[in-house]
Amino acid sequence: MKFATKAIHVGNEPNLKEGGSGDVVMPIHLSTTFARSKVDEPTAGYEYSRSGNPTRYALEANLAALENGKYAFAFASGLAAITNILLLLHMGDHVLCIDDVYGGTRRLFTKVLLNFGLAFTFADFTKAQDLQEHVQANSKIIWIETPTNPLLKIVDIASVCKFARKKGILTVVDNTFASPYLQQPLSLGADIVVHSLTKYIGGHSDAVAGCVVVHDQTLAERIKFLQNAVGAILSPFDCYQVLKGIKTLAVRMERHNQNAQKVVAFLSTHKKVKKVYYPGLESHKGHSIAKKQMTGFGGMVSFELVGDCQKTIRFLQSLKIISIAESLGVVESLIEHPASMTHASIPKEERAKIGLTDTLIRISVGIEDEQDILEDIAQGLEKI
Ligand code: P1T
């Protein structure tokens, strides 16, 4: 089955058996618990909704299919999914993380999990040959975001996975920015894929959610255990919302790609724009790797204006259709100032080290008419 078909059908198969209702949409199973006819055996396969729920299983089956994985687990947010992965580790273990990651991920690592005896190194290993100098004897996970948030760096997934596998280190790819439509890390050798479903996969700014996808059965069993033991599961209603969003993922991603390319072309030639970050640009350092491992360059674009931070803020506040808001990957175009919004929890000197300046702007190009998006940006630039 091809991607767009899987997105619509997997998990939503109508139950046409005797007694089945034939719904073409997975119903929302709100029951918190499931009755059984025998004490020692769940009669219909379900016990208690934290450990298993029909609507959640439908979403999880769909997500596993989209990522070409075998097992998926849905969580209450992207950060809840990320936390559950880190709970695979033990005190004293080390994580090597790409230096440019979502500010909330970095905050979780450095301000929460560090206190539980895990160690973290943030480094730019976009050139996979640089990995050797950063791994330690106790390294257990290499954490990749690609494209990264917000600088849109590209990490060579296949090369990193090859290196990690030889050393017995797990590779985790946060695939939120690409979505499984554009990139499938498990097929490139990654052990674990994580998503904030709040973004492209859900796509409509109406559900905060996350997921973990794996191939390996032993890993899957441990993650399932943690999902239940920790309890940060996704509610049946939100599972339904995400399943509904997924049905249009393929068409939405095509439009995000097209609209972003138009925005990039416009910004790249504008005299008030200093720099554009987009992996689709031939001048982007990771362009050839992006071309190899992605089927499109996505809807995220970052850029810097000529001038100072005040000018940057003035531009953002003069936009009319594009909303200033955190989040991304949704039908509406959103714009933000990472230094004071999504990445404000990272100390300024750390931000400076990775090149995240106070004049950086990140836009999540939505699927509105491209002309309206371009006109809004143009009128905003005229005001500064
Ligand atoms: O917001 P939540 O669903 O918990 O997902 C966290 C998360 C994980 N990974 C990446 C790459 C992310 O971008 C995010 C959330 N990011 C934003 C809210 C943002 O505006 O960048």
Side-chain angles (χ1 to χ4, degrees), residues 91-297:
M91 246 166 105
D93 288 345
H94 171 255
V95 177
L96 173 57
C97 181
I98 186 73
D99 55 355
D100 183 39
V101 282
Y102 168 52
T105 303
R106 198 167 174 133
R107 179 179 56 200
L108 171 69
F109 290 179
T110 57
K111 299 201 170 142
V112 181
L113 297 170
L114 197 69
N115 301 335
F116 289 84
L118 297 181
F120 296 90
T121 301
F122 296 90
D124 182 350
F125 49 81
T126 44
K127 286 205 269 9
Q129 58 266 39
D130 295 341
L131 278 167
Q132 186 60 48
E133 64 179 285
H134 300 294
V135 288
Q136 301 178 6
N138 56 342
S139 296
K140 290 287 158 47
I141 282 179
I142 297 181
W143 193 278
I144 298 172
E145 249 185 47
T146 184
T148 63
N149 182 358
L151 291 168
L152 301 163
K153 292 184 186 181
I154 298 294
V155 180
D156 185 339
I157 300 173
S159 301
V160 173
C161 293
K162 199 164 146 203
F163 171 91
R165 187 137 303 189
K166 274 197 219 136
K167 304 225 172 245
I169 302 172
L170 289 176
T171 318
V172 181
V173 178
D174 184 330
N175 203 24
T176 301
F177 265 41
S179 90
Y181 184 72
L182 300 181
Q183 173 174 281
Q184 295 166 358
L186 295 177
S187 307
L188 298 167
D191 297 291
I192 302 178
V193 165
V194 62
H195 277 282
S196 167
L197 302 173
T198 320
K199 312 295 163 13
Y200 286 106
I201 292 183
H204 294 76
S205 305
D206 56 4
V208 173
C211 77
V212 175
V213 191
V214 297
H215 262 317
D216 179 76
Q217 191 185 344
T218 313
L219 255 182
E221 280 165 10
R222 185 68 190 157
I223 292 165
K224 184 166 177 58
F225 169 81
L226 288 167
Q227 184 193 34
N228 181 47
V230 177
I233 41 128
L234 192 62
S235 79
F237 181 75
D238 288 328
C239 290
Y240 163 82
Q241 293 278 74
V242 176
L243 260 176
K244 186 173 176 178
I246 287 174
K247 291 183 190 186
T248 54
L249 180 60
V251 283
R252 283 190 281 114
M253 289 313 297
E254 287 294 334
R255 180 70 166 244
H256 283 298
N257 275 343
Q258 282 167 20
N259 281 359
Q261 271 166 37
K262 292 282 160 54
V263 168
V264 167
F266 177 79
L267 291 173
S268 300
T269 53
H270 200 287
K271 60 180 188 312
K272 290 186 182 169
V273 177
K274 191 163 76 184
K275 184 164 182 190
V276 180
Y277 301 78
Y278 187 64
L281 284 169
E282 275 177 29
S283 57
H284 186 287
K285 259 205 238 162
H287 178 66
S288 60
I289 294 164
K291 232 163 110 179
K292 200 174 67 181
Q293 70 189 17
M294 301 173 79
T295 55
F297 302 108

